[in-house]
Amino acid sequence: MLDLLFRGASIIDGTGSPARVGDVGVLDGRIVFPGRGEAAKETIDAHGATLMPGIVDVHTHYDAQVTWDPTLSPSVSLGVTTAVLGNCGFGIAPCPPPMRETPLRNLSVVEGMDLDALLAGTRWTFEGFADYLAALEKLGPYANIGVLAQHSTIRTAVMGEEGSTRRVPSPEQMAAMQVDHHVPVLH
């Protein structure tokens, strides 16, 4: 018996084939294409609706926005089911409190984001990268989230402003950048 059955949906399967009307089932968290007459714990009449694979957006800059907008507007409403954050080496974690404006300025300049909106909206309930991931888990974003560890953010957290101008970190700074929890400020 299926866990969930959508009956009569217009199915776009992601292969490039034309849409077709059919049934789509879910069993143990996996999508299955059952034949007619399958039994399910829950059945949804999907006539007039379209079912298709979700979109994975591998290049987003929701790093700050997700802290105040777990809907990831407008991406989820456009079909995005998974978003990857931390692209271009920019993000907001790790970030010691004295450095919080710096990654927001970076996002503002490089990605054309409004600095005032970033400063007003970003909810700093974290400091280290692991804390950021835990904060995202608590927020419950509407899409699945993957977060890249951002080299620029890590360098700035450890090296301060000189992280963007000095080429080689000291051995102590390099060791601090490799730590997987709170990053100490070692200017």
Side-chain angles (χ1 to χ4, degrees):
M1 176 180 284
L2 297 170
D3 298 318
L4 178 61
L5 177 64
F6 296 90
R7 286 218 184 269
S10 176
I11 301 168
I12 299 174
D13 63 13
T15 65
S17 300
R20 66 186 182 345
V21 175
D23 298 341
V24 175
V26 178
L27 178 64
D28 296 328
R30 296 192 179 270
I31 296 171
V32 295
F33 293 93
R36 296 286 176 199
E38 287 279 337
K41 295 174 188 168
E42 182 180 358
T43 301
I44 296 173
D45 179 358
H47 290 86
T50 302
L51 290 177
M52 65 194 87
I55 298 166
V56 177
D57 190 343
V58 298
H59 193 137
T60 76
H61 292 282
Y62 283 122
D63 309 72
Q65 181 179 328
V66 70
T67 69
W68 75 79
D69 175 21
T71 69
L72 300 178
S73 176
S75 289
V76 172
S77 64
L78 299 174
V80 172
T81 57
T82 302
V84 179
L85 286 59
N87 284 280
C88 300
F90 296 103
I92 61 171
C95 191
M99 299 299 299
R100 287 185 175 164
E101 189 172 325
T102 302
L104 298 181
R105 276 190 288 122
N106 289 342
L107 284 169
S108 175
V109 171
V110 175
E111 301 303 331
M113 297 176 170
D114 183 76
L115 180 58
D116 291 333
L118 290 169
L119 291 168
T122 304
R123 295 189 180 136
W124 296 100
T125 60
F126 55 88
E127 183 175 330
F129 190 75
D131 296 334
Y132 179 65
L133 297 178
L136 293 181
E137 186 74 27
K138 281 183 182 177
L139 283 170
Y142 285 29
N144 300 306
I145 297 288
V147 183
L148 303 171
Q150 317 93 38
H151 64 88
S152 177
T153 308
I154 293 168
R155 282 179 63 93
T156 300
V158 172
M159 300 173 72
E161 294 294 330
E162 76 175 351
S164 63
T165 59
R166 189 170 151 214
R167 279 182 52 138
V168 181
S170 70
E172 295 81 16
Q173 289 170 329
M174 182 59 80
M177 285 187 242
Q178 295 169 356
V179 175
D180 156 10
H181 49 82
H182 290 339
V183 177
V185 179
L186 299 174
H187 305 272

